[in-house]
Amino acid sequence: MRVLQTILLLAGTVTTGLMAGLFAAFAYAVMPALHRGGDRSFVETMQNINRVILNGWFMSCFLGSLVFLIGAAVLAWRGHGRPALPWIVAALVLYLVMFFVTSGINVPLNNQLDKAGDPRHIADLAAVRHQFEGRWVAWNIVRAVSNLAAFACLAWALVLYGAHRDDPRPAGRHTGSAAPMHHPPAPYDVRPAGSPYDAGSPPAPYGPGPGPGPR
């Protein structure tokens, strides 16, 4: 189970990081570059991007990260790696924010832009662009920030998970139960039962002593 948990946490961190990088790249590079172009180039480029991006690589990260984070959270809750659980849950919540913003706002805007048709035959390209660009860019920044925060939480969860995994302390320290205490054995008393030393007199010194009776 620890191996599976490690794999899920690593996979969730990598895929979440890839999604954060994608949305961040749109925020600081792609959309500012398109903003400098004309209406036709903007609409045509965004239509092509929205069609091409629906591929196996994107869907594997977009949906796969959600599956990996849920699995990692369940395994952390059930057993090993409990210190990392709050950070995994926080990352899952932040990722869900990105997920619902994407599916509820950005994707419908993409579909609306696609339904506008071929840019060569759109009568008012400026209006189509205006209805799309400002809102899409603003919400892309929201999902990029949320996704980046989820990635940061997972990076810290990995640190805590690794520290907990390598902790040499006994299991009782982790589970909350006290570790068994080992008391040193009592001194061994070699005095025979009924000896005169039972009354508390000190034992005779070791070695040969005087024989019985007067000499």
Side-chain angles (χ1 to χ4, degrees):
M1 294 299 288
R2 287 192 179 185
V3 174
L4 177 60
Q5 185 177 359
T6 303
I7 292 173
L8 289 175
L9 187 54
L10 283 172
T13 303
V14 171
T15 51
T16 300
L18 288 172
M19 294 304 301
L22 173 66
F23 297 140
F26 268 96
Y28 63 70
V30 177
M31 301 311 292
L34 290 178
H35 183 70
R36 297 184 177 186
D39 295 336
R40 178 173 173 178
S41 65
F42 178 90
V43 173
E44 186 174 14
T45 302
M46 284 304 301
Q47 284 180 339
N48 289 331
I49 290 175
N50 294 334
R51 293 166 187 163
V52 170
I53 202 171
L54 296 177
N55 55 63
W57 292 107
F58 173 81
M59 298 307 295
S60 296
C61 293
F62 184 65
L63 298 176
S65 183
L66 193 59
V67 175
F68 296 145
L69 295 183
I70 292 174
V74 170
L75 291 182
W77 176 72
R78 293 183 60 184
H80 186 74
R82 291 295 289 272
L85 178 60
W87 295 95
I88 298 174
V89 173
L92 178 58
V93 171
L94 290 166
Y95 193 86
L96 285 172
V97 171
M98 179 280 295
F99 185 89
F100 287 121
V101 167
T102 300
S103 58
I105 299 177
N106 291 91
V107 170
L109 286 172
N110 294 341
N111 295 335
Q112 176 183 327
L113 188 66
D114 190 64
K115 290 178 181 178
D118 192 330
R120 294 174 297 179
H121 306 302
I122 298 176
D124 194 351
L125 278 170
V128 171
R129 176 180 180 175
H130 177 74
Q131 293 174 358
F132 174 87
E133 185 178 13
R135 198 170 169 215
W136 195 96
V137 168
W139 284 103
N140 178 69
I141 294 174
V142 171
R143 66 179 179 175
V145 171
S146 178
N147 209 155
L148 183 60
F151 178 68
C153 289
L154 289 173
W156 184 244
L158 278 173
V159 173
L160 295 177
Y161 177 77
H164 182 80
R165 180 174 182 176
D166 299 332
D167 195 342
R169 293 177 298 175
R173 298 288 294 276
H174 302 301
T175 60
S177 60
M181 298 181 63
H182 300 283
H183 299 283
Y188 182 66
D189 193 350
V190 297
R191 292 175 293 177
S195 67
Y197 305 118
D198 289 340
S201 57
Y206 290 103
R215 295 193 177 184

